[in-house]
């Protein structure tokens, strides 16, 4: 039996715990997710190093999974655009059972390896694409089928599993094993196994975006204000990065179509918007380099 499926003996009387103890037990077990990710930090760093040049060369981030793992992939995928202005067409996700499986389980979809292969192949994967394949068990047929298609196309494959020596990890170019062990509620990998996967996806995608100059210092500067909340955030980020007052930050952002990067360069270099944009283009979007470029 897989470790993630093996009943835990530590909390065999879970259903009899007082509510306060029950809540504390469920929270405390999540700390094991953090420990599992930390143990895999070396290979996670290697994934980022391998992925960055591919993505910089025009590659796409592609997420594949079923059930909880698949939904976590969708979540990371869709948040890249509002957070980093990452193009929608360069962040794609495949969920066993299709889009409807995001909200309701599609029975048997995860067992179809052929469909996994076909779904990934339909995206026309290329060598610069980075395909992240998630499966708590590490042996989900749909995910393994997609893995085969990605490898056939020469894409970079990253297998993420919660069991040691899982096929999705051993057959991918990079295997990330998150050994979270037995779940408090036996077999429910939406708990710490899912938490560990979420941490890994956050870490990989965020690190890639940092390396692609989507972050200045530790500020999220490559977002665009498309609603009132994001407008307030853009003004605050611009003020923090430049020392400008709110009125000045808002005025310059308006001239820059609310692009924080450009506003920072305009304010700190005291140049027109067109020049700020040209400087960013010359430095591949690096605010730090644009501020130094003569």
């Amino acid at each position: 039996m897989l470790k993630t499926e093996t009943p835990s003996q530590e909390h065999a009387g879970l259903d009899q715990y007082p509510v306060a103890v029950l809540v504390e037990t469920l929270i405390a077990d999540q700390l094991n997710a953090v420990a599992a990710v930390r143990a895999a930090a070396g290979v996670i760093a290697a994934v980022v190093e391998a992925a960055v040049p591919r993505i910089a060369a025009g590659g796409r981030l592609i997420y594949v999974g079923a059930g909880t793992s698949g939904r976590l992939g969708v979540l990371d995928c869709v948040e890249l655009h509002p957070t980093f202005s990452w193009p929608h067409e360069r962040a794609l996700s495949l969920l066993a059972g299709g889009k409807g499986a995001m909200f309701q389980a599609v029975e048997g979809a995860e067992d179809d390896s052929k469909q996994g292969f076909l779904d990934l192949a339909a995206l026309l994967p290329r060598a610069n694409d980075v395909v992240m394949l998630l499966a708590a068990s590490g042996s989900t047929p749909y995910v393994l089928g997609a893995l085969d298609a990605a490898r056939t196309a020469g894409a970079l494959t990253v297998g993420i599993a919660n069991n040691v020596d899982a096929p999705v990890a051993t057959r991918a170019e990079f295997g990330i094993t998150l050994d979270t062990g037995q779940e408090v509620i036996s077999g429910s990998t939406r708990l710490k196994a899912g938490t560990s996967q979420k941490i890994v996806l956050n870490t990989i995608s965020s690190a890639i975006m940092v390396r692609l100059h989507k972050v200045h210092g530790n500020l999220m500067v490559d977002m665009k204000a498309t609603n009132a909340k994001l407008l307030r955030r853009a003004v605050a980020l611009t003020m923090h990065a430049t020392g400008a007052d709110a009125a000045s930050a808002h005025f310059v952002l308006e001239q820059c179509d609310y692009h924080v990067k450009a506003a920072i360069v305009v304010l700190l270099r005291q140049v027109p918007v067109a020049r700020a944009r040209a400087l960013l283009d010359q430095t591949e979007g690096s605010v730090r380099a644009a501020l130094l470029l003569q």
Side-chain angles (χ1 to χ4, degrees):
M1 183 177 288
L2 296 173
K3 189 183 290 187
T4 51
E5 305 292 336
T6 303
S8 171
Q9 298 304 309
E10 187 175 359
H11 299 287
L14 188 73
D15 61 334
Q16 296 177 309
Y17 286 7
V19 170
V21 177
L22 175 61
V23 168
E24 175 58 31
T25 298
L26 291 168
I27 292 172
D29 198 50
Q30 294 291 304
L31 298 177
N32 292 310
V34 178
V37 176
R38 280 181 168 165
V43 67
I44 294 170
V47 167
V48 174
E49 293 281 7
V52 167
R54 289 171 168 84
I55 300 300
R60 301 170 294 176
L61 287 166
I62 302 174
Y63 302 76
V64 184
T68 296
S69 297
R71 295 183 188 102
L72 289 170
V74 172
L75 181 62
D76 201 69
C77 177
V78 301
E79 290 186 343
L80 293 179
H81 179 74
T83 307
F84 302 109
S85 295
W86 190 247
H88 292 295
E89 66 274 14
R90 294 185 62 195
L92 306 173
S93 58
L94 293 176
L95 176 60
K99 292 182 179 179
M102 189 71 188
F103 305 100
Q104 185 172 339
V106 178
E107 299 301 331
E110 68 177 53
D111 299 326
D112 194 339
S113 61
K114 181 180 179 181
Q115 192 61 53
F117 187 99
L118 292 173
D119 285 353
L120 197 288
L123 299 180
L124 303 178
R126 302 180 291 270
N128 281 328
D129 289 339
V130 177
V131 183
M132 289 186 281
L133 305 116
L134 299 108
S137 68
S139 58
T140 304
Y142 179 88
V143 178
L144 294 177
L147 170 60
D148 290 340
R151 286 178 59 90
T152 298
L156 180 71
T157 53
V158 182
I160 302 171
N162 292 89
N163 285 288
V164 175
D165 297 326
V168 74
T170 59
R171 288 164 51 181
E173 187 169 347
F174 287 94
I176 299 176
T177 300
L178 306 170
D179 190 7
T180 45
Q182 301 160 332
E183 295 284 359
V184 170
I185 299 176
S186 300
S188 181
T189 51
R190 61 180 285 273
L191 298 176
K192 64 184 172 187
T195 299
S196 69
Q197 291 179 5
K198 180 69 165 66
I199 296 171
V200 167
L201 293 179
N202 280 349
T203 301
I204 292 174
S205 61
S206 297
I208 290 172
M209 294 300 150
V210 170
R211 284 289 175 261
L212 294 179
H213 310 305
K214 301 290 184 179
V215 173
H216 175 57
N218 66 343
L219 303 179
M220 186 179 77
V221 295
D222 209 6
M223 49 82 71
K224 293 181 181 179
T226 56
N227 58 40
K229 178 190 72 174
L230 292 179
L231 175 57
R232 291 192 297 271
R233 185 176 297 169
V235 170
L237 288 167
T238 303
M239 291 171 62
H240 186 89
T242 66
D245 58 39
S248 298
H250 192 286
F251 176 78
V252 173
L253 278 165
E254 193 172 31
Q255 308 309 305
C256 298
D257 297 325
Y258 298 99
H259 189 197
V260 177
K261 271 188 178 184
I264 292 172
V265 177
V266 168
L267 285 163
L268 292 181
R269 287 288 301 262
Q270 291 295 293
V271 296
V273 173
R275 176 58 177 160
R277 287 174 173 160
L279 289 169
L280 288 167
D281 287 342
Q282 291 177 56
T283 57
E284 299 181 330
S286 171
V287 172
R288 194 175 299 280
L291 294 176
L292 298 174
L293 190 65
Q294 298 301 315

